[in-house]
Amino acid sequence: MDDQDWQRVLQARRERVRHQVSAEEWAAREDLAACYRLCVHYRMTDMIYNHISLRVPGRHDQFLINAFGLLYSEVSASNLIKVDLDGQPVDETELEANPAGFVIHAAVHKARPDVDCVFHTHTRAGVAVSAQQEGLLPLSQHAMRFYQRIGYHDYEGIALDLDEQQRLVRDLGPHKALILRNHGLLTAGATVRDAFEEMYYLELACQIQLDATASGRPVVLPPPAVCAHAAEQFAGSNSYIRNRDWQALRRMLDQTDPGYRQ
C-alpha cells in the first residue's frame, strides 16, 4: 500500500474498531499499544520488524499483534490486528501480520496457557549478548532475576519454519525469558506489564554486561548461592507494587505520546 492507502485504512479502523470490540478487549488493546510506544521510548525497536502479542481476553485461540509495515511509533489500539493461532486474520482488514511473528508468537501462545503476552526484540545489546558463548552473566542485580531462570535457543535462520516452533517452546521451558542465539531476546508474561517488565530488565542486564566487559578488566561475579537467593527474591510476591510502575509509564505516555489510545 502507498501512504494514502495506509492513511485511509488506519482512519477507517480508528472509526470502526472501538465500536466492534468489548470494553475488556479495548483496554487490552490500549495496554498492548502502550507497550509498543514504550519500546520507542526505550530504544528497543528494529524499524517495522519484531512483535509484541497479546491474547484476546477470554479467548485461547486468538491474539493481537502489530500490522506489518507500521513503525512502533504508529501502532495504536485500533490498528492492532487480531489473528488466530494459524496466523489468519479474524477480523476483516487490509492489514497483515508478519509471518515470522506468527511462527514465534503462536508457538508460545499455544504451549503456555499461563502466558498472555509475548515480547520479542532485536536490540543491539540483546543480540550482542545472544552471540556471546557464556550468555547472560550475573553481573548486576538486573541480571539476577534471570539466574537459572532463562532459556537459550540456537539460531536456525529466519523464523519462518513451522517445525522450529517445538524447539522454541522446548528451549523456553517454564521460564519467562529466552535468549535466541545470534538473534535477540524474548520474554513472556501473564499481562503486558509482566512481559514488559521482564524485557526492560533483561535489556538493561545485557547493556550492563556489555559495558562491564568492554574494558577487558576483571569483573566480579557474586557466589552462586547469592545469585540464587536474589533470583528467589525476584520470583517472590511483588503484590505491594500493585502495578504502580505500569500506571506511571502509562501516565508518561499520556503526556508525551497519547496517540497509542486511538
Side-chain angles (χ1 to χ4, degrees):
M1 292 188 288
D2 61 24
D3 187 60
Q4 287 186 337
D5 288 336
W6 271 115
Q7 295 305 320
R8 176 181 54 79
V9 170
L10 297 181
Q11 180 60 35
R13 288 184 66 85
R14 280 194 292 270
E15 296 172 353
R16 184 182 75 245
V17 173
R18 184 163 192 170
H19 303 292
Q20 292 180 329
V21 304
S22 67
E24 186 180 17
E25 180 178 325
W26 187 258
R29 284 173 171 270
E30 286 193 349
D31 253 1
L32 183 55
C35 195
Y36 278 97
R37 300 297 182 100
L38 287 169
C39 281
V40 178
H41 180 80
Y42 288 107
R43 302 177 66 86
M44 292 193 287
T45 65
D46 187 10
M47 295 201 307
I48 62 171
Y49 304 102
N50 292 149
H51 318 276
I52 314 164
S53 61
L54 178 63
R55 206 184 300 270
V56 175
R59 298 294 301 255
H60 295 288
D61 57 345
Q62 297 175 0
F63 59 91
L64 301 166
I65 198 167
N66 54 314
F68 188 46
L70 292 180
L71 295 169
Y72 277 21
S73 59
E74 297 176 295
V75 173
S76 69
S78 64
N79 63 40
L80 290 161
I81 60 176
K82 191 185 306 184
V83 298
D84 62 23
L85 293 179
D86 294 320
Q88 298 301 312
V90 174
D91 52 354
E92 293 185 14
T93 180
E94 298 174 66
L95 304 177
E96 299 174 321
N98 185 335
F102 155 70
V103 170
I104 293 173
H105 291 252
V108 180
H109 284 295
K110 285 179 182 178
R112 293 283 299 273
D114 60 314
V115 164
D116 279 355
C117 186
V118 182
F119 196 156
H120 174 45
T121 63
H122 293 166
T123 62
R124 183 174 177 176
V127 175
V129 170
S130 80
Q132 293 182 337
Q133 186 173 11
E134 64 270 26
L136 185 68
L137 296 171
L139 285 170
S140 65
Q141 181 165 280
H142 289 27
M144 298 300 175
R145 68 190 301 127
F146 303 103
Y147 184 74
Q148 297 184 335
R149 296 170 186 268
I150 192 167
Y152 290 85
H153 176 69
D154 288 337
Y155 187 65
E156 299 187 22
I158 298 173
L160 296 173
D161 300 326
L162 289 177
D163 64 353
E164 186 178 356
Q165 289 184 318
Q166 59 184 328
R167 292 181 292 278
L168 275 164
V169 168
R170 176 200 66 197
D171 295 336
L172 175 61
H175 304 304
K176 295 180 180 179
L178 179 69
I179 290 181
L180 295 92
R181 293 287 192 183
N182 312 98
H183 182 174
L185 308 176
L186 182 145
T187 62
T191 65
V192 175
R193 178 259 178 198
D194 293 342
F196 177 82
E197 180 182 62
E198 294 294 314
M199 183 61 76
Y200 176 83
Y201 289 115
L202 181 56
E203 171 66 18
L204 277 183
C206 290
Q207 292 177 14
I208 291 166
Q209 179 167 321
L210 295 179
D211 289 344
T213 57
S215 69
R217 301 293 296 168
V219 296
V220 176
L221 292 175
V226 173
C227 296
H229 174 61
E232 285 290 341
Q233 289 178 311
F234 278 116
S237 174
N238 62 359
S239 58
Y240 68 96
I241 297 176
R242 299 198 303 274
N243 286 337
R244 281 180 281 197
D245 49 0
W246 185 249
Q247 292 165 7
L249 291 169
R250 288 282 300 262
R251 289 197 304 272
M252 178 188 71
L253 284 179
D254 286 339
Q255 294 172 2
T256 63
D257 191 15
Y260 77 94
R261 289 183 178 272
Q262 295 183 347

